[in-house]
Amino acid sequence: MSVHSDDYRVMPNQTVKLKKFPTRYDGKMTKEEGLEKIAELYRRLSELQALLYADGKQSLLVVLQAMDAAGKDSTIRNVFSPLNPQGCKVASFKAPNSVETMHDFLWRIHQNVPRSGYIGVFNRSHYEDVLVARVKNLAPKEIIKRRYEHINNFEALLRDAGTRVVKFYLHITADYQKTQLQKRLDTPEKNWKFSPSDIPERMHWDEYQEAFAAAFSHCSTADAPWYIVPAERKWFRNLLIAQVIVETLEGMNLHYPQAQFDPKEVKIP
Ligand code: ATP
Ligand code: MG
């Protein structure tokens, strides 16, 4: 039983209608089979991370975007737990601070791109500047329109510099979000995760969906693809993301560096 990651990938310039993409995996694989596959993928991920680090010439950037309470935190906790913390860095992007707003929108992003040998995870990203910025009119329309091209050029620059970019949208329905937000209210240990501002954001659900769809149509490129992940079954969400990351690392032509000496000739005194 295998998953075809291409089924979830947005092709360049594809018109995206989010309603047509599943939010909940309903394929043939059982949860039990899925968990077995995940264990295998996590082992492979750990091996490939060691190889990426040893090779030391390229890096991988994983971008996560979603509506509130879709499971970005839980994805990071699960999919990236097999990794060696030395060699992995997570950056979370909140509303820009006073210094960040005095720069172009990619300034704070560029500084957090993983260096060679590393896997970087973006919990929200530069895409906020074509999502929340578009929905809340944080910049003039013409400026926001130009950002799609800025983003594509930026991601092409990263690719040229040895950073692979792969982007995941955790797709859920408005009903599922409601259930998840309610859990944050009902569970005292989860109260801190609830923000009263989640409610007004939720009122803009359709506009957000349109903004996401536009971002995927404009910015899913051959080198930096977007994947629309059905996120309402967590095991499948983890499986698909881990699989795409494994496939991406496997396609990076990584090698352990050749020793610059003959190990057989070296005698340790
Ligand atoms: P959780 O899922 O746990 O709530 P979160 O990622 O939503 O985590 P919050 O602190 O609740 O974290 O929200 C971060 C907020 O920062 C979001 O509302 C997001 O839209 C906003 N934000 C991020 N980047 C930008 C940006 N460039 N411009 C404006 N707002 C931004
Ligand atoms: Mg939030």
Side-chain angles (χ1 to χ4, degrees):
M1 187 70 59
S2 62
V3 171
H4 299 286
S5 55
D6 276 352
D7 293 350
Y8 303 91
R9 176 181 176 143
V10 179
M11 293 303 150
N13 303 315
Q14 180 183 335
T15 306
V16 174
K17 297 243 179 304
L18 275 176
K19 284 213 168 84
K20 293 201 171 148
F21 285 80
T23 57
R24 193 180 157 83
Y25 172 75
D26 64 357
K28 291 210 178 76
M29 192 186 299
T30 63
K31 180 173 178 180
E32 206 178 25
E33 289 166 331
L35 293 178
E36 259 177 49
K37 179 104 184 117
I38 289 173
E40 201 183 293
L41 285 166
Y42 283 5
R43 272 194 298 277
R44 185 74 187 123
L45 185 55
S46 167
E47 286 169 6
L48 286 163
Q49 184 204 11
L51 182 57
L52 176 78
Y53 192 87
D55 185 60
K57 295 197 192 83
Q58 301 179 67
S59 61
L60 175 70
L61 172 60
V62 178
V63 171
L64 291 176
Q65 286 286 164
M67 295 297 287
D68 280 309
K72 288 187 273 84
D73 290 344
S74 130
T75 301
I76 294 170
R77 209 169 47 245
N78 283 277
V79 178
F80 300 94
S81 64
L83 299 187
N84 181 347
Q86 175 167 282
C88 176
K89 200 177 140 208
V90 180
S92 298
F93 294 96
K94 310 281 180 187
N97 65 27
S98 57
V99 176
E100 289 166 348
T101 42
M102 287 193 270
H103 292 272
D104 69 83
F105 77 104
L106 292 171
W107 179 78
R108 65 176 184 160
I109 305 296
H110 210 160
Q111 297 171 58
N112 283 287
V113 169
R115 66 193 208 194
S116 307
Y118 272 60
I119 294 180
V121 183
F122 280 0
N123 180 355
R124 301 186 187 266
S125 67
H126 43 306
Y127 281 90
E128 290 292 328
D129 292 278
V130 291
L131 296 167
V132 63
R134 170 170 154 150
V135 172
K136 304 275 240 6
N137 296 311
L138 302 181
K141 278 199 173 62
E142 306 71 56
I143 297 283
I144 292 179
K145 252 191 195 158
R146 288 173 59 78
R147 287 182 181 165
Y148 299 112
E149 203 182 328
H150 292 314
I151 289 175
N152 286 341
N153 289 333
F154 171 63
E155 292 178 358
L157 165 71
L158 297 186
R159 172 66 191 248
D160 288 352
T163 301
R164 284 294 178 111
V165 183
V166 63
K167 303 171 290 200
F168 299 101
Y169 170 64
L170 308 185
H171 192 24
I172 58 169
T173 60
D175 284 348
Y176 181 87
Q177 187 196 48
K178 188 174 180 183
T179 312
Q180 296 305 108
L181 288 175
Q182 191 62 48
K183 280 188 200 159
R184 293 182 175 184
L185 292 173
D186 295 344
T187 320
E189 295 75 26
K190 286 191 176 172
N191 284 171
W192 68 276
K193 289 205 113 200
F194 184 83
S195 158
S197 69
D198 292 345
I199 304 288
E201 291 301 320
R202 180 175 157 75
M203 305 312 286
H204 293 290
W205 183 273
D206 289 341
E207 291 148 82
Y208 270 108
Q209 296 292 290
E210 278 167 29
F212 274 112
F216 304 150
S217 297
H218 291 302
C219 301
S220 192
T221 58
D223 283 341
W226 269 107
Y227 288 84
I228 300 177
V229 180
E232 294 181 8
R233 277 189 164 172
K234 293 184 181 131
W235 65 267
F236 184 77
R237 172 201 73 191
N238 296 341
L239 192 163
L240 178 58
I241 294 177
Q243 181 169 316
V244 171
I245 294 174
V246 163
E247 288 168 355
T248 307
L249 287 166
E250 281 178 339
M252 284 170 69
N253 193 25
L254 302 168
H255 301 284
Y256 281 103
Q258 280 267 298
Q260 299 300 308
F261 49 83
D262 183 353
K264 290 196 191 77
E265 293 295 312
V266 180
K267 294 266 177 295
I268 300 173

